[in-house]
Each structure stands twice: as C-alpha cells, then as structure tokens.
Amino acid sequence: MNAGQQTTRRLAVRAGQSICRSCRDTISRTYASAAAAAVQTEDSISQHIPPVTQSSPNTSYGVNAGVVLSRPPQITRDLHPFESAFFLYQRRLNERLALPFTRYFYFKKRTPADLEWKRKMKQRLTPARDIGRYQGYGEEAWNDEVLVGANESKFEWQVEKLLEDAEQSGAEPGAADAPGMKKVERELFDRPKPRVTEADETNDTKSLNRALQRTLYLLVKNKEGRWEFPQDKLREENLHGAAHRIITHTGGENMNTWLVGHVPIGHHQIDYPEPRPTEKLNEHGAKTFFLKARIMAGQVNLKENKLGLQDFKWLAKDELKNEVDGSYWRSIKNMLTER
Amino acid sequence: MALRELPFRTAAALCKDTRPAVRVAEPLFRRNASSEAAREVESSSSLEVPPPSEELVKGYDPLARSRLRRRGNKELPPSRYQYRSPKYYRGPLHPHQPPPESDPSSRLFQPGPFSLPRLEQTYQSTIAADLLTLTYQHYPPGYRAPKTDQRLRQWTGDSPYYKNRPLRPPRGKGEVLRLLNEPRTFRNIPKITKVTLHSMVPEAQENSAHMHVAGMILQAITNVRAVSHKARHNVVGWGLRQGRYVSVTSTMEREDAQDFLAKLIDVVLPKIKEWKGVPGSSGDGHGNMSFGLTPDQLALFPEIEVNYDAYPPKMIPGCHITIETDATSNKDARLLLQAIGLPFYGKLND
C-alpha cells in the first residue's frame, strides 16, 4: 500500500456521508492489505448475493413498460463527399497498381463479346466501369485526380455508368453490325428504385417508406397530448409479456413485430411533486422500462387501440428530439441509434 | 449520486490540502452520458471553403500543360521528383528508410477501401445494437464476479530453473485453454474478423491442372490471391503424399470479407436447391464457424457463371468456408451469423 492510495481512501472517508456504503467498501477492499484478505474471502462470498429486500417499503415507484418499436434502415446511407472522393481516389490508385485485366480468360478472340469489350475499352480506357475515363498505365497515369465539378466520385453517376455498361453494346448508334456476327444477348434488368420516395417528398411521417436510410421510431400521442413511446402500467406479467401486449394494444394485429431480447434497453423516471397513495404503498413517481422491438411488416392502426392514444408518427432520432420533452429526451437519447 | 459526487469532493479536498493539486482540472472536463458532447475542435470544415473561381477552373487542364512541356523538351528532371522506396530494408540505422506501408510510394502499399459495404453498414446500424440487447446479462449492483483461479499449471519442484518460467498449458493431448466468456459490453460485441476459403484437391498430386483451376476459382470469387499448401504427412487412406501440393486457401478481411459474405448470402445460397443451412454442429467453440459447398454449388457464384466455359467442368473443386468471428462461444457466433442471414439446422453444438 503506497501513500497515494492511502490518501484516496482517507479522502473518501473524509467525504463522509455522501458516499454510499458499497462504494466505500469497494475503496477499502481494493487497497486492503494482504493480511486482511483471508478474513475478507468470506465477506466476498456473501456479497455475491445482493440485498434483495428493501428496508423501507413505503417509498415506491410505479412501474411501466414501454416499447421502442423501430424500423431499421432499408438502404445504405449517402456518402459524405469526402468519403466518395476518397473511394474514387483509392480505386484509381488500384487501377495503377493492380495487374492488368486477363482479357482472354473472359473474352474469346474474335467473338462479339470481345469486339464489344474493345469498343468499350477504347471509350473508357480502363477495365473498371465506374471510375470514369482514366488510364492506369502509361505516360499519363499520374493524371488521376478529378477536376472541379466532375461527377465521377458521385454514387449516382457510378450507378448510372454500370447500368449503361449493362444495357449498351458500346457501338455508335448508326453503325451497322458486321455481317454474320451473332448478337450478344443482354440480360434484362430492372433499374433500381429511387432512394428518395414519395413519402420523403411529402414528408409523410405516418409512412414507413420515409427516410429509408435512417432508423424510424414509433412515437405516439397519449391521452394528455404528450408525444412519447407507447407505454402502459405493468400488470401481473413480466416486462416482455407487457411489451407484447402494448404492441398489440397500440397498433392492432396488423403488424409483424419482433421483440429484441427480454431485457430493457433504457428507463425513464418521473417524480411526482406529491406522493400518490395506492392500495398499500405511496408512489413517489413512476419508472418506465423500455424494451426494444422491430417492425418487419404492417403498419400501426390506432383505431381500436386500448391505451387512449390519439396519434402516431414514425420519426428518426433527430426529428424525435423536437417532439418529446426535454427530460424525456435526456433519458431516451442514448438508447436510440444515430442512423 | 454519491458515486458521481466523489471526484468533485476529492478535488475539493485536494484543494484544501497543502499538497499541490495535480488533477484538479480533470473533473471539469468529465462528460457524463447525459451531458452534451464536446464541440468539434475545428469549427469550420475545409469542405466549406468556396471553390476556385470560374476562369481558373476552365483554364486548368493538367494534361495539356504536361503535353506542352514535353513537346518543348522541358521535362522536369525525373530524379528530383520521383521517390523510390528502397528495395531492401537495411536496418534502422540506414539513412534510406522505407516509407510506412500506408504511403502510396511504399512497395508494400495496398489501395483500399474502395467502398463502404452494405453489410458493414447494417452491422453498425442494426445488428451490433441488437446483439448487445440479446446477449446482455444483468448483474445487480454490488455484484462482483467470482475470481477465476489460475488456469495454467505451476511448475512445482525444487529446481531453481522453475523460477520465472512461463506457466504450463493444460495437461493432455488435444487439451486447449478455452476462451474466457467475458460479460458482454458495448466493447466486445462479436463481429466478423475474417473469412477463409479452403479447397482441398488431392488430385493435384497427379495433375497440377486441378490446383490451377482451384486457385483461379478461389481468386475469382474472393478477390484475394490464393495460397497453396503442401501435405504435411503421408496419409495412405486419403492418398496424400508428404510435400505435394494439395490445397489452396484464400483469406479475406474487411471489405473483401464483407462483400464475399453479402454475395454468398444474397446471391449464391438462395440459388442452391434445397440448401438446408449451415450444420448446427459447426463451430469450434472459439467463435469460428465453417461449412462446405459442393462443386456445383460453387459454380453458382456470379464470377464463375460469367465465364463458366473457361473452367474445365470436371476440375471445379468444392470448398470449405470458415467464418472467423471474435465471439468467444459457439452460441454468440451463431447469433451473429443468423443476424446476417445464415440459417442453421440440426442439433446445435453448444
């Protein structure tokens, strides 16, 4: 035991009443000398069983179960311009450093596919289809930076180029095919759906098709007109049973949901100004424990809800901040994901 | 509450003392989960700098400038502007040191990453948080984990050489020290670290073409150079002879691994007829799971389908896929793989 540790303990003791017993125990235990260790082994065994019974049953809190029902992100996020510029830079660097494309392993000589490959290579100078017109070998390979205002690093541009490559043969529009050549069969494909949906444009917060890149959380307006996660008093049931009940009581049967685990992911506590007497106890406040659930399919229908809810919204984290109370936000913000 | 107050009180007590207050300033910078994060160090981003003027942009053509210079034979002296990393490392005292591996001028430089894979994004936004919730184990306040005793064996005896010797591993052949299952926190959520493809082609001992085909297929699928391995022993039952090349592997990490898994789960496995899933008996107890694909299942990869004719059909091998995770038990690893979309069947190996 050295002087510094002793000081910490002394300070802790001096701090007096404000330290709870377990903390003080921890401090004294950590720096206890080896001689005391033998005595303490019995202590530590008994400490594995935490104190369950409370000495004063009069102060108590009402227990609520809440459900954080969320829809996970459906598509990849938009890249930051720096990220996309970095990725393009690395791809062009790779073009310079990688071994050349083994052309005849993929295209037999003097086949239509080979001719098409040649035409396309003449246009874009490189086997990669989505890095723009750039040649990785030769005198001018150093010129790998894109100019101001160029689109090459943009995701939409790259997707467009890949689709173009799949649907075009690279021939001039007027040019006739060489006689006797077979046509290359092109696979039909659907163009990808837009990343911004109709619900995004109209800002329809009731729709689950909005903000596909973000996690959406179900927020409901309760009897008092406050926006919060669906919650209810705990009856004679366990937390996850209550969560299942709350989901059906809120949104009806027309939802396919999955409860993620049986443990709460966060809690919110409110303290009443005056203790409210119930049958046996005085309730000094209420604690809400939130369970996490995911919605797989379906939609919320408040028509026959049994919790007296007035309205609902599907909101992302930063939108949710403006709807809920300050204290509520402080207790829920760390259990919501950024994206 | 008392726990939170302690540092402040300690600091106050330190101030009162005559001793110099060494860490007085620290509590001010402490951040609790409920308080706001510190603001960014740089208030303005370099991306907000206005772009160069219109005429400057229009007149800038680096290629034309360089061509003009070359035409006039006014090239820059190459020796002065080109840096070459030394071919051999000559020790830390040599004046010509190689640049770090991350430098593009280094001989060991490997470009990348080229994208932010979808699987990685899903893991970050959805899977990791769900796994933490699913595997969370609550301990009531005041709980202290029972101490694990020393799992390695001591050197007992009178020999003076036993002093400071490293401890001995468990007794018995095939006994290994199992991994410790630490309580789950946000720091040790299981994630995929590596994916290894392994293809055993004993026919390559007679005809090396099998080895070439297997290597080409593995490289095409994984985007990683395949490594070939020799047989270590003679095994008569399997027809192995020592020292002959019999198998190829390729090991993927990061982006390659994520892309491979996404391709496997979304494209290849759905195309397999009556694929039951990964056998539940899979798993080595240390977080690694493996399963196999037959030759005709391997041929369903889009990279092979695109030029299937280039491979001799009889020589296409099967392969084993090992997914290495940093989970410490089969259960956790299986949970992770189920979350990314690999089903398991049969009796589970826990």
Side-chain angles (χ1 to χ4, degrees):
Chain A
M1 188 189 290
N2 61 36
Q5 286 163 348
Q6 214 172 18
T7 318
T8 319
R9 201 173 76 190
R10 214 166 52 213
L11 288 170
V13 171
R14 196 183 296 168
Q17 289 300 317
S18 69
I19 295 185
C20 71
R21 210 196 55 185
S22 69
C23 302
R24 203 165 53 204
D25 282 353
T26 315
I27 292 165
S28 56
R29 218 179 297 127
T30 317
Y31 306 120
S33 59
V39 186
Q40 281 203 341
T41 42
E42 286 128 26
D43 281 1
S44 59
I45 290 162
S46 63
Q47 268 157 6
H48 287 202
I49 305 144
V52 183
T53 50
Q54 267 198 333
S55 52
S56 54
N58 301 343
T59 62
S60 71
Y61 283 84
V63 178
N64 298 336
V67 177
V68 183
L69 189 59
S70 60
R71 188 225 57 190
Q74 304 289 298
I75 58 175
T76 53
R77 69 175 167 87
D78 284 333
L79 291 178
H80 190 270
F82 179 78
E83 282 174 316
S84 48
F86 174 76
F87 288 147
L88 179 73
Y89 170 66
Q90 291 291 335
R91 278 183 200 177
R92 289 197 165 183
L93 215 49
N94 187 47
E95 212 60 26
R96 298 175 74 166
L97 297 172
L99 287 173
F101 178 67
T102 46
R103 178 177 151 199
Y104 295 118
F105 186 60
Y106 290 95
F107 304 110
K108 291 278 166 293
K109 261 187 189 175
R110 289 192 294 278
T111 55
D114 185 41
L115 291 180
E116 182 186 324
W117 167 261
K118 276 193 205 163
R119 281 198 297 270
K120 283 182 175 167
M121 273 300 279
K122 204 176 272 178
Q123 285 161 20
R124 61 179 186 226
L125 303 178
T126 167
R129 291 162 294 180
D130 53 353
I131 61 168
R133 196 178 153 79
Y134 168 71
Q135 194 168 23
Y137 304 125
E139 281 281 276
E140 280 158 3
W142 53 267
N143 185 29
D144 56 358
E145 288 178 34
V146 285
L147 298 179
V148 173
N151 288 323
E152 273 89 337
S153 65
K154 285 192 184 121
F155 177 75
E156 296 81 17
W157 186 89
Q158 291 170 358
V159 170
E160 197 51 48
K161 279 286 155 190
L162 289 176
L163 293 176
E164 218 172 76
D165 179 78
E167 67 192 5
Q168 291 175 9
S169 67
E172 298 291 318
D177 284 352
M181 272 289 187
K182 267 205 294 181
K183 280 226 159 192
V184 182
E185 283 174 29
R186 307 210 151 269
E187 261 186 66
L188 294 174
F189 58 87
D190 300 327
R191 295 187 82 77
K193 295 263 189 315
R195 290 165 65 84
V196 179
T197 58
E198 201 183 322
D200 274 317
E201 281 155 10
T202 55
N203 199 19
D204 178 10
T205 49
K206 291 212 184 327
S207 166
L208 274 169
N209 282 335
R210 196 178 64 89
L212 295 180
Q213 305 178 19
R214 307 290 308 273
T215 308
L216 292 184
Y217 295 97
L218 174 67
L219 209 63
V220 292
K221 196 177 190 180
N222 64 4
K223 271 180 267 180
E224 290 97 58
R226 256 183 297 115
W227 285 99
E228 57 187 21
F229 293 127
Q231 67 174 54
D232 195 17
K233 256 202 148 27
L234 202 65
R235 298 178 194 165
E236 294 294 317
E237 57 195 346
N238 46 24
L239 266 181
H240 58 273
H244 279 300
R245 179 175 60 79
I246 290 166
I247 290 173
T248 44
H249 282 189
T250 306
E253 296 291 331
N254 188 21
M255 281 197 299
N256 183 0
T257 55
W258 173 54
L259 201 64
V260 185
H262 289 175
V263 291
I265 56 168
H267 86 290
H268 173 60
Q269 175 178 340
I270 44 172
D271 293 309
Y272 303 141
E274 287 291 310
R276 294 180 194 171
T278 53
E279 297 100 63
K280 287 178 196 166
L281 310 162
N282 271 340
E283 278 188 10
H284 287 235
K287 290 182 182 179
T288 311
F289 293 92
F290 296 106
L291 280 99
K292 186 177 189 175
R294 300 256 185 224
I295 181 164
M296 302 299 178
Q299 176 58 288
V300 177
N301 184 6
L302 287 188
K303 231 174 219 171
E304 290 169 8
N305 79 80
K306 293 169 185 163
L307 305 178
L309 308 174
Q310 303 170 23
D311 200 2
F312 75 94
K313 275 180 183 175
W314 289 99
L315 295 178
K317 184 178 181 181
D318 44 4
E319 300 160 339
L320 204 140
K321 184 182 180 182
N322 307 324
E323 297 291 337
V324 299
D325 287 347
S327 66
Y328 195 71
W329 169 248
R330 268 194 297 283
S331 44
I332 63 169
K333 70 175 181 181
N334 285 327
M335 64 186 191
L336 311 179
T337 47
E338 265 334 297
R339 225 192 105 206
Chain B
M1 221 42 241
L3 254 179
R4 264 186 222 154
E5 271 174 27
L6 176 61
F8 292 103
R9 291 190 151 261
T10 322
L14 276 168
C15 285
K16 267 187 275 168
D17 264 359
T18 47
R19 294 174 55 185
V22 187
R23 301 175 73 83
V24 176
E26 196 198 39
L28 301 175
F29 300 120
R30 251 172 56 120
R31 188 186 162 226
N32 291 317
S34 56
S35 59
E36 288 300 319
R39 267 190 270 150
E40 285 188 67
V41 180
E42 296 258 336
S43 57
S44 63
S45 160
S46 64
L47 289 160
E48 287 160 13
V49 173
S53 67
E54 192 80 16
E55 57 263 25
L56 201 67
V57 169
K58 262 186 192 164
Y60 186 68
D61 187 357
L63 267 188
R65 239 178 80 188
S66 127
R67 278 176 198 152
L68 207 68
R69 194 168 51 219
R70 261 184 285 167
R71 203 185 303 143
N73 274 337
K74 279 185 286 180
E75 267 196 84
L76 301 172
S79 61
R80 213 148 324 152
Y81 295 92
Q82 285 177 2
Y83 171 75
R84 285 188 79 108
S85 168
K87 198 162 186 181
Y88 305 107
Y89 181 60
R90 295 186 178 85
L93 298 179
H94 195 272
H96 195 186
Q97 289 289 325
E101 259 181 58
S102 56
D103 190 335
S105 67
S106 162
R107 287 169 190 273
L108 302 170
F109 176 74
Q110 291 213 342
F114 307 115
S115 64
L116 192 58
R118 185 174 57 87
L119 190 58
E120 177 64 28
Q121 293 191 30
T122 312
Y123 177 82
Q124 297 291 353
S125 69
T126 313
I127 296 173
D130 282 2
L131 284 183
L132 182 59
T133 312
L134 283 169
T135 57
Y136 176 76
Q137 171 69 44
H138 178 71
Y139 295 109
Y143 173 85
R144 282 159 80 235
K147 257 196 173 174
T148 48
D149 45 346
Q150 180 57 259
R151 301 192 301 159
L152 297 169
R153 289 181 298 144
Q154 303 278 350
W155 291 92
T156 45
D158 301 333
S159 169
Y161 293 108
Y162 286 171
K163 255 181 195 167
N164 297 329
R165 249 196 203 178
L167 298 176
R168 312 166 76 183
R171 185 190 294 278
K173 202 182 173 194
E175 272 304 297
V176 286
L177 214 56
R178 313 302 295 185
L179 292 178
L180 288 174
N181 282 312
E182 297 282 326
R184 177 77 60 235
T185 66
F186 70 98
R187 289 176 196 282
N188 61 6
I189 302 174
K191 61 175 184 297
I192 289 163
T193 49
K194 266 183 206 171
V195 177
T196 305
L197 247 70
H198 168 246
S199 176
M200 172 99 172
V201 270
E203 303 88 34
Q205 293 173 114
E206 276 77 51
N207 180 4
S208 72
H210 286 91
M211 181 67 80
H212 299 302
V213 172
M216 283 303 277
I217 282 184
L218 251 57
Q219 284 183 44
I221 290 173
T222 61
N223 189 26
V224 170
R225 189 83 178 160
V227 183
S228 46
H229 302 280
K230 289 173 189 168
R232 278 198 254 174
H233 307 286
N234 281 316
V235 183
V236 180
W238 298 348
L240 291 188
R241 272 166 298 156
Q242 193 179 354
R244 299 295 188 99
Y245 282 102
V246 282
S247 77
V248 274
T249 61
S250 51
T251 306
M252 294 162 278
E253 280 181 292
R254 295 182 284 272
E255 201 190 356
D256 285 329
Q258 308 274 356
D259 283 340
F260 173 79
L261 282 180
K263 196 164 63 194
L264 181 75
I265 291 162
D266 297 333
V267 180
V268 180
L269 297 183
K271 278 202 272 186
I272 298 174
K273 274 182 194 157
E274 295 177 7
W275 187 66
K276 283 194 283 182
V278 179
S281 58
S282 167
D284 64 351
H286 293 163
N288 309 321
M289 291 275 165
S290 49
F291 58 99
L293 292 181
T294 59
D296 41 337
Q297 291 171 351
L298 199 62
L300 293 174
F301 271 91
E303 287 88 351
I304 298 177
E305 271 190 340
V306 76
N307 64 338
Y308 182 76
D309 303 340
Y311 304 98
K314 294 247 173 82
M315 289 190 187
I316 294 180
C319 77
H320 281 112
I321 299 170
T322 305
I323 302 173
E324 294 177 33
T325 68
D326 57 7
T328 48
S329 66
N330 281 335
K331 215 173 174 183
D332 290 349
R334 200 177 303 122
L335 207 57
L336 172 62
L337 296 194
Q338 281 170 338
I340 67 169
L342 279 173
F344 284 80
Y345 78 93
K347 193 163 175 285
L348 298 179
N349 165 20
D350 280 321

